[in-house]
Amino acid sequence: MARLSPRGAALASVIAIVTLISALAGAFYSLIFFPETPFFAIWRGAVTGVSISLLITVFELSLATGPLRPMRHLPVGVLLLLRTVVYSVLIVVGYEFARLVATAPGEAILNFDRFFWQSLWLSIVVSFAINTGLEVSRLLGGEVLWGLLIGRYMLPRVEERIVLFVDMKESTRHAERLGDLKFHGLLNAFFNDVSHAVLTTRGSIYKYNGDAVIVLWRPSRGLHRGAALRCVRELYRRLQDRADFYRHAFGIVPGFRGGLHMGPVVVGEIGDQRREIAYSGDAMNTAARLEQATRERGVDFLVSAAVAEKLGAIEGVTLHSVGDVAVPGKAETLMLFAMEFRA
């Protein structure tokens, strides 16, 4: 039996959870309106919930990684409206499919009764709310949005994080050769490939900073099956796989350098008119220092011992010691490992 990839396993678990919740919600909603026939109401509601959720899941997968992915680059307002309309259509299709599977005696298909219209309008409102949340989450990041909603970081706190700094190599030279507008296209394509690698390993992008990206994991996620190192390996492989695209569109294939470290960070809300959750402290500074040290050591990627010693062997990745580096503000030096990739 074929084994699912980590991303496939995570996706399967999400689909299973969404399907179960949809079945329960549909059954509960139907039972409220038809208490006189509880068993049929629960059956019809569960089938309706599962049908609608699976249709919407297929649409979202097509939008995230399938043929509809280019639509993700539409203006936020247009995408929000489009999603709401598509959700509404899929809800009607799922609702009518449930009528076919669980038909009441004497019931006609495509019977737009009072219950149908109540359900449709409620679904449209819920769809709009959900999609607004999805777009806000996409703009802010899921962890940031959730933290702001529950006020988790109103008071700063110290937490452990794995921090990855990645920046594009020779970006200044590329910008001079391509010009500002075309270089922006290159940078956007590169960041999209970084996002792909981060999503694959369940990390979160904290910030884009010029030609650099800062990625974060909680240790439980970043260390699990070497996710943080697999993210870097996935980015390397993706850039190689898309080399022809980059050559055709920009005349170059971008490379990257970076640093990976784990340690304490200070997490807290900052700002008033525009609020965000900011990360600062030791681990952030050290990861940035590792990225700078790649130039000094003549390598593309450096990993601190704090991460390397907690990870097992990763397929396609080799780590070898390159000595210590001084970190500003610290008396002790930091042991480093260079990271090399095998195709």
Side-chain angles (χ1 to χ4, degrees):
M1 183 176 178
R3 185 175 181 179
L4 288 175
S5 66
R7 188 178 188 182
L11 181 60
S13 66
V14 169
I15 292 175
I17 292 170
V18 168
T19 302
L20 177 60
I21 292 174
S22 300
L24 294 174
F28 179 73
Y29 177 72
S30 184
L31 188 59
I32 291 176
F33 279 86
F34 303 105
E36 65 278 2
T37 55
F39 293 109
F40 176 76
I42 290 173
W43 166 238
R44 165 70 76 81
V47 173
T48 303
V50 170
S51 301
I52 292 172
S53 69
L54 288 179
L55 287 171
I56 290 176
T57 298
V58 170
F59 170 70
E60 286 297 329
L61 288 177
S62 299
L63 199 61
T65 59
L68 300 180
R69 182 174 174 79
M71 291 169 54
R72 287 171 59 89
H73 302 294
L74 291 171
V76 172
V78 175
L79 184 58
L80 175 59
L81 179 61
L82 178 65
R83 262 181 159 152
T84 301
V85 171
V86 171
Y87 272 39
S88 302
V89 172
L90 294 180
I91 287 167
V92 172
V93 173
Y95 182 85
E96 292 303 323
F97 175 78
R99 283 188 191 238
L100 287 172
V101 174
T103 306
E107 182 180 23
I109 306 303
L110 297 177
N111 178 26
F112 302 121
D113 53 15
R114 182 174 64 88
F115 178 69
F116 170 83
W117 290 111
Q118 286 178 334
S119 301
L120 178 60
W121 285 114
L122 176 62
S123 299
I124 291 174
V125 172
V126 171
S127 297
F128 183 81
I130 290 174
N131 281 298
T132 300
L134 287 173
E135 289 305 311
V136 173
S137 176
R138 184 182 170 200
L139 290 171
L140 297 180
E143 188 171 352
V144 171
L145 176 60
W146 182 245
L148 289 172
L149 287 175
I150 65 175
R152 178 181 176 86
Y153 301 112
M154 289 182 68
L155 297 177
R157 54 200 298 175
V158 177
E159 295 184 349
E160 197 85 358
R161 287 290 189 277
I162 297 176
V163 185
L164 168 66
F165 267 67
V166 172
D167 74 347
M168 183 189 295
K169 293 172 66 175
E170 301 181 323
S171 59
T172 302
R173 184 169 66 85
H174 297 329
E176 290 176 351
R177 187 175 67 83
L178 295 172
D180 292 341
L181 289 177
K182 198 161 187 178
F183 176 70
H184 180 84
L186 171 65
L187 204 57
N188 191 44
F190 175 73
F191 285 163
N192 285 341
D193 286 334
V194 174
S195 296
H196 170 84
V198 172
L199 285 172
T200 301
T201 53
R202 301 181 68 195
S204 60
I205 292 178
Y206 163 52
K207 185 174 289 187
Y208 298 107
N209 186 16
D211 63 349
V213 187
I214 305 173
V215 184
L216 301 171
W217 288 267
R218 293 181 182 274
S220 57
R221 287 188 177 184
L223 295 178
H224 180 63
R225 299 181 63 186
L229 282 184
R230 285 191 293 106
C231 176
V232 183
R233 182 196 65 188
E234 178 63 25
L235 175 57
Y236 172 77
R237 289 180 173 176
R238 184 153 177 94
L239 292 175
Q240 294 300 307
D241 291 342
R242 282 167 45 86
D244 289 341
F245 159 77
Y246 279 106
R247 289 192 189 97
H248 177 75
F250 307 106
I252 58 101
V253 179
F256 66 93
R257 57 168 55 90
L260 186 68
H261 181 60
M262 182 174 73
V265 298
V266 177
V267 193
E269 292 185 19
I270 61 170
D272 182 15
Q273 184 177 2
R274 181 185 181 278
R275 302 178 74 183
E276 67 174 76
I277 294 177
Y279 294 79
S280 60
D282 180 77
M284 305 295 289
N285 297 334
T286 302
R289 177 69 183 96
L290 295 190
E291 187 275 326
Q292 296 168 6
T294 58
R295 299 169 177 83
E296 302 166 7
R297 301 302 171 101
V299 297
D300 287 338
F301 207 90
L302 288 172
V303 182
S304 71
V307 178
E309 292 173 354
K310 292 181 172 61
L311 295 168
I314 307 297
E315 181 185 354
V317 175
T318 301
L319 297 178
H320 60 87
S321 177
V322 292
D324 299 345
V325 65
V327 179
K330 284 191 169 188
E332 71 276 10
T333 57
L334 196 67
M335 182 181 296
L336 301 180
F337 294 83
M339 183 176 182
E340 297 180 352
F341 310 102
R342 301 188 300 273

